[in-house]
Amino acid sequence: MKNLSVKTFLRGFSAFALCASLSMGSALAYNGDPELAYTDSAPTQTVTESAPSTPPAAAPVAAAMQDRLNQLKTGSVIPRTVQKSSALAADSVITSNFKNLGSFRLSFYCSCEKCSGEAYAGKTKSGTDITEGRTIAVDPNVIPLGSRVYIDGYGLFIAEDTGGAIKEQKIDIAVSDHDRAYELGIDKATVYLIG
């Protein structure tokens, strides 16, 4: 048998050790010959436990709710055509966050002399112009002038006016002309005080 050099012996032994380590799934780091070097380093995943957080979908919903609350409390009340609509029904944001004043008798009026009187024709008790989709007349002992109210089925209004016949649970909603006021007639709806 030929004499094997130490270097040849070590190479053979290292190759044997490498095969043995691969079959057992262990890691072997060899600092010698690059052909024999092997590292069994499977990617590791660190799992850390953390406190439960708000689900990602909840954040946009909460933001949308906050935007709606801010709009109701401080946003512009844009004049619009007054019309009862299911799209303007009081939703959970309104029913959960604002004071329910109960059911009110609704009537409609315009800025004409017949509806508003000669002294106030076109102007509200607050001094603003009577504006459809914004102005309502209220009993200031029930709803203070300047208050925002949400009328179920009709939307958001500002209490800007009063009237001789508007007492207790009655609201007069301003519209653009006398014929429309007459056509809309009388209704009942739940009213919420926004502030």
Side-chain angles (χ1 to χ4, degrees), residues 77 82 109 124 128-137 156-161 171-175:
V77 179
V82 171
Y109 77 112
T124 67
T128 60
D129 292 333
I130 294 173
T131 306
E132 181 171 359
R134 185 188 74 209
T135 303
I136 57 172
L156 183 64
F157 296 89
I158 300 176
E160 298 179 314
D161 210 356
I171 291 178
D172 220 0
I173 300 174
V175 293

Side-chain angles (χ1 to χ4, degrees), residues 77-140:
V77 179
I78 299 166
R80 65 193 184 285
T81 301
V82 171
Q83 185 79 24
K84 188 171 187 175
S85 170
S86 60
L88 296 171
D91 59 18
S92 62
V93 172
I94 294 163
T95 60
S96 301
N97 292 285
F98 302 111
K99 184 177 181 182
N100 181 333
L101 297 177
S103 182
F104 279 66
R105 178 186 180 272
L106 307 177
S107 54
F108 302 86
Y109 77 112
C110 70
S111 61
C112 77
E113 189 177 309
K114 186 174 182 180
C115 288
S116 300
E118 188 177 333
Y120 293 104
K123 292 289 184 186
T124 67
K125 183 74 170 180
S126 303
T128 60
D129 292 333
I130 294 173
T131 306
E132 181 171 359
R134 185 188 74 209
T135 303
I136 57 172
V138 298
D139 180 343

Side-chain angles (χ1 to χ4, degrees), residues 13 117 137:
F13 180 76

Side-chain angles (χ1 to χ4, degrees), residues 19-43:
C19 290
S21 71
L22 287 176
S23 66
M24 295 182 345
S26 64
L28 171 67
Y30 181 78
N31 294 328
D33 191 338
E35 291 178 18
L36 299 177
Y38 171 77
T39 302
D40 181 17
S41 57

